[in-house]
Amino acid sequence: MNAQDTLILTRKQVAELMRFDDYLSAVEQAFRSYALGKTQLAGVVDIEATGGAFHIKAASMETKQKYVAVKVNGNFPQNAARFGLPTIQGAILLYDGTSGFPLALMDSIEITVQRTGAATILGAKHLARSNSTTALICGGGNQGRVSLLGLHSILPIERAFVFDMNSETSKRFSEQMSSALAIPVTPVSSLREVARKSDVIVTCTTARSPFLGPDDVSPGTFIAAVGADSHDKQELDSRLLASHKVVVDILEQCATIGELHHALKA
């Protein structure tokens, strides 16, 4: 490849180049760099669209070389039913932060799913009880699969539950993950009973109103709420945040979108 060529990577190529452990290492390094003041972040830009929205996120990071990345994701919850397409699609542009040259144009689906899963697992690694045996996944899509696989790799998970508004999605998730992990993964239609006996809960839905409240969760439960990636999405009742310990990745950003945004407003 010529030094002045822009690398173009499809989702399949990205999946072949990186393992989940690579994402864990990269995300951990990025969080550490952010804490040390070695990154620069721009605000999130939302663009409304028919049936969904676009989110634009950008950041720079300096290692041996300075990089700037811009991600544009379309989020359309009805895509599967309407077009047979993923809910989230988009692209990431990676630039040389010194010259401005576009180094790579990458499909964002795989990176978004794996990066979000890595943040969830890092959170669980440091915050969940080490003897956690039961997991509840709210949202039976790709994000839920990556989350359960990751949790199973770091915690002694013996059984799991899946909740999704689409019963067929829950059933398919249950069958696939039970086979992949060799543990019982049970679809459920009601949250409260299973949520109260779950040690770890991951919410990765497109919900715009809260479905998990303070009475649904037992003390000591670890919750990774990753679905609310814009100001109009919400999965957790704000009272749940008010009465428990809240840990975020980027405080300024979380205060303007997502769960913390709603809790502060309330």
Side-chain angles (χ1 to χ4, degrees), residues 170-201:
S170 292
K171 181 182 177 183
R172 186 163 56 249
F173 182 100
S174 168
E175 293 170 350
Q176 293 174 349
M177 299 308 293
S178 294
S179 174
L181 299 176
I183 63 170
V185 179
T186 308
V188 295
S189 57
S190 178
L191 270 181
R192 175 166 293 188
E193 184 178 347
V194 294
R196 286 198 61 82
K197 59 186 179 184
S198 295
D199 301 304
V200 177
I201 300 174

Side-chain angles (χ1 to χ4, degrees), residues 55-74:
H55 309 304
I56 304 172
K57 300 173 182 177
S60 68
M61 182 173 175
E62 196 156 348
T63 52
K64 292 180 181 179
Q65 181 178 352
K66 185 165 186 177
Y67 296 99
V68 173
V70 180
K71 179 171 77 170
V72 181
N73 266 2

Side-chain angles (χ1 to χ4, degrees), residues 12-32:
K12 181 175 183 293
Q13 289 170 321
V14 170
E16 290 171 346
L17 286 168
M18 290 186 69
R19 299 169 296 113
F20 186 66
D21 285 349
D22 297 323
Y23 287 93
L24 279 175
S25 176
V27 171
E28 189 170 37
Q29 180 187 348
F31 283 167
R32 184 178 293 112

Side-chain angles (χ1 to χ4, degrees), residues 18 20 44 52-53 57 69 74 102 121 129 155 158 162 189 198 205 210 231 239 241 250:
M18 290 186 69
F20 186 66
V44 177
K57 300 173 182 177
I121 302 315
R129 294 187 298 254
L155 295 171
E158 297 174 355
V162 57
S189 57
S198 295
T205 73
H231 68 278
R239 292 171 298 172
L241 279 73
I250 300 167

Side-chain angles (χ1 to χ4, degrees), residues 118-160:
T120 295
I121 302 315
L122 284 172
K125 176 182 175 182
H126 294 285
L127 299 169
R129 294 187 298 254
S130 61
N131 61 347
S132 298
T133 60
T134 305
L136 166 62
I137 306 297
C138 301
N142 288 329
Q143 198 62 66
R145 289 183 178 84
V146 169
S147 298
L148 185 54
L149 286 167
L151 289 172
H152 187 263
S153 72
I154 65 162
L155 295 171
I157 301 296
E158 297 174 355
R159 62 174 178 169

